[in-house]
Amino acid sequence: MSIEPEAPEPRWAVPPVGGWTADDLDTLPNLPPHTELIDGSLVFVGPQTLFHTRAVDFFNWQLQSLAPPELEAVREFTIDIDFQNRPEPDVVVVRADAVESLRQTRFPASSVLLAVEVVSDESVTRDRETKPVKYARARIPHYWRVENKDGRAVVYVFELEPATGAYTSTGIFHDRMKVSTPFPVDLDLAAIVSRRRATDG
């Protein structure tokens, strides 16, 4: 009777004393796509919903189309905040001079004008609490949080308040989003789900 070989146990990366660093994301083998570094810990992304995918596509395309030539919109790309924090916003708008090579894997936070996060079930706390604090400390001027509310997109817009160094809310948008900073934007948010509007949210 043949004996089936035992399946090998998964090999998890054991963090060094003090946690992982931003540079480790480029060298650690076999990391899942879109792994982030938050406070020296690796954060893995769960399966994404159709709403998340469509919202990221929508904002990436719209911001690419509307941004002036000196700015560039990029989706799902990590940014260096400090040696223990290298998050990956769903979309960033950066100064064009931050794009140095087609082989680069991150942008410095100092080059980022806008970070956009589309909230998933597993990222609610990170996107509402953890990341905004870190983005504000990195002096990223604008932060947008996109949420699925009963099958419709809602965008929460924040701007850095220079005196306090914290974000302040400048608007909540449901059907149409019209803002003037960091550059003029006028968006039909219904387009995110209008092709086949989900009935179950």
Side-chain angles (χ1 to χ4, degrees):
M1 183 176 81
S2 62
I3 299 176
E4 292 291 329
E6 293 184 4
E9 294 184 0
R11 299 183 64 182
W12 301 105
V14 178
V17 175
W20 301 109
T21 69
D23 291 338
D24 291 328
L25 280 189
D26 290 330
T27 59
L28 282 168
N30 304 318
L31 287 180
H34 310 300
T35 298
E36 301 179 278
L37 184 74
I38 305 292
D39 293 330
S41 297
L42 300 176
V43 176
F44 306 120
V45 178
Q48 298 303 310
T49 63
L50 182 59
F51 173 85
H52 186 279
T53 298
R54 284 189 176 174
V56 173
D57 284 344
F58 175 84
F59 279 96
N60 184 59
W61 170 253
Q62 295 291 343
L63 293 173
Q64 280 182 344
S65 302
L66 296 170
E70 65 272 17
L71 301 178
E72 183 164 343
V74 181
R75 64 175 292 159
E76 299 170 327
F77 204 78
T78 59
I79 60 174
D80 268 332
I81 289 180
D82 56 44
F83 78 102
Q84 283 195 316
N85 287 280
R86 188 175 157 188
E88 183 183 287
D90 289 310
V91 182
V92 290
V93 174
V94 298
R95 295 194 311 272
D97 60 8
V99 181
E100 300 174 346
S101 165
L102 293 179
R103 297 179 62 84
Q104 76 187 85
T105 57
R106 48 185 154 168
F107 294 125
S110 59
S111 70
V112 180
L113 273 72
L114 166 66
V116 182
E117 295 286 3
V118 180
V119 178
S120 300
D121 289 344
E122 52 86 24
S123 72
V124 172
T125 300
R126 290 196 303 277
D127 293 340
R128 289 182 178 176
E129 301 175 19
T130 306
K131 286 187 173 183
V133 170
K134 296 187 182 301
Y135 294 160
R137 287 177 180 168
R139 311 297 295 179
I140 295 173
H142 302 275
Y143 174 61
W144 298 353
R145 190 181 76 238
V146 185
E147 300 199 13
N148 176 358
K149 184 172 178 60
D150 301 323
R152 299 171 68 185
V154 179
V155 183
Y156 301 83
V157 173
F158 301 89
E159 187 169 339
L160 195 66
E161 209 287 315
T164 63
Y167 285 125
T168 184
S169 174
T170 58
I172 302 174
F173 300 90
H174 296 267
D175 298 308
R176 182 184 179 193
M177 178 180 178
K178 189 173 183 179
V179 297
S180 59
T181 56
F183 48 85
V185 168
D186 189 350
L187 302 177
D188 175 13
L189 299 178
I192 295 174
V193 296
S194 62
R195 284 178 290 175
R196 291 184 180 89
R197 180 176 294 278
T199 57
D200 59 0

